[in-house]
Amino acid sequence: KSPNDILLDDRKAGGILAEMLPAPAETLAVLGIGINFNLEESDFLPEIRHRSTSVLASTGKTVSLACAAESLAREVAASLALLTRQGSAQLLSLAEELLAWREKQVSLTLDSARHSGILAGLTARGGLVLRNLNGELEIFSSGQLERN
C-alpha cells in the first residue's frame, strides 16, 4: 500500500512496514523491509503475477542476499542519521522525490470504497494526498493503491 510498496518496473517487488512504539523516554520505531530478490515470475501466484516482480524477474540477475542485506543496512543507517541530524522534513522530501505515480491517475480502495484521482504527494505525517475528480484534496493513511 503506497507509499510503502517498493516498485520495480511499475510492479511490486517488496514493501516497508514501520510501527511507532511509545517508550518512557523516547519513541521507538520497528521497521520491517521485505524485498523479492531471487524469485522467478512463475513463483508468484497467477492472480498477482501481473502486478508483482522480483529483482531476478525484472533484470535476469541473481542477487547475493548477504550483499543485499549489508547494502540495505547501510542505507537504513544513513536514513536514520539524516533523520537525527535534520529531522523528518528532509526525510519526507526524499520520500516525495521517490514517490511512484506522482501526478498519475490512481485509485485507492479503503473499506470497500474506491477513491479515484491524481496522486498529489504526501503530507508532513506521511499521508497520501489524492486530488479527486472534483479537484479537492483527500488524505489517506491506509488503503490499497493502484495505478489506473
Side-chain angles (χ1 to χ4, degrees):
K1 296 175 176 75
S2 180
N4 302 338
D5 287 349
I6 298 171
L7 300 178
L8 182 59
D9 297 333
D10 219 25
R11 293 162 68 187
K12 185 172 180 173
I16 302 170
L17 295 174
E19 186 72 31
M20 302 300 285
L21 303 172
E26 57 192 7
T27 300
L28 302 175
V30 177
L31 189 64
I33 302 171
I35 301 173
N36 301 329
F37 285 111
N38 296 321
L39 296 174
E40 299 280 350
E41 191 161 324
S42 61
D43 291 331
F44 294 100
L45 295 172
E47 59 269 18
I48 65 167
R49 198 170 287 153
H50 68 283
R51 64 178 188 263
S52 301
T53 193
S54 71
V55 175
L56 174 63
S58 289
T59 67
K61 297 178 182 176
T62 301
V63 175
S64 160
L65 298 182
C67 289
E70 183 179 315
S71 178
L72 184 59
R74 270 195 314 271
E75 289 298 322
V76 168
S79 293
L80 289 174
L82 178 66
L83 180 62
T84 301
R85 282 192 321 271
Q86 300 183 9
S88 61
Q90 187 66 28
L91 204 52
L92 181 64
S93 176
L94 179 60
E96 284 271 1
E97 286 178 32
L98 298 173
L99 185 62
W101 305 340
R102 172 188 293 291
E103 299 302 321
K104 304 288 186 206
Q105 183 73 37
V106 297
S107 292
L108 185 135
T109 305
L110 178 62
D111 298 329
S112 73
R114 190 173 176 92
H115 306 267
S116 294
I118 303 294
L119 180 57
L122 300 172
T123 68
R125 296 185 56 92
L128 197 69
V129 181
L130 185 70
R131 187 179 314 109
N132 67 25
L133 302 176
N134 297 326
E136 300 164 333
L137 296 180
E138 296 180 88
I139 298 171
F140 299 91
S141 58
S142 65
Q144 180 64 43
L145 188 70
E146 36 186 69
R147 187 167 174 195
N148 294 346

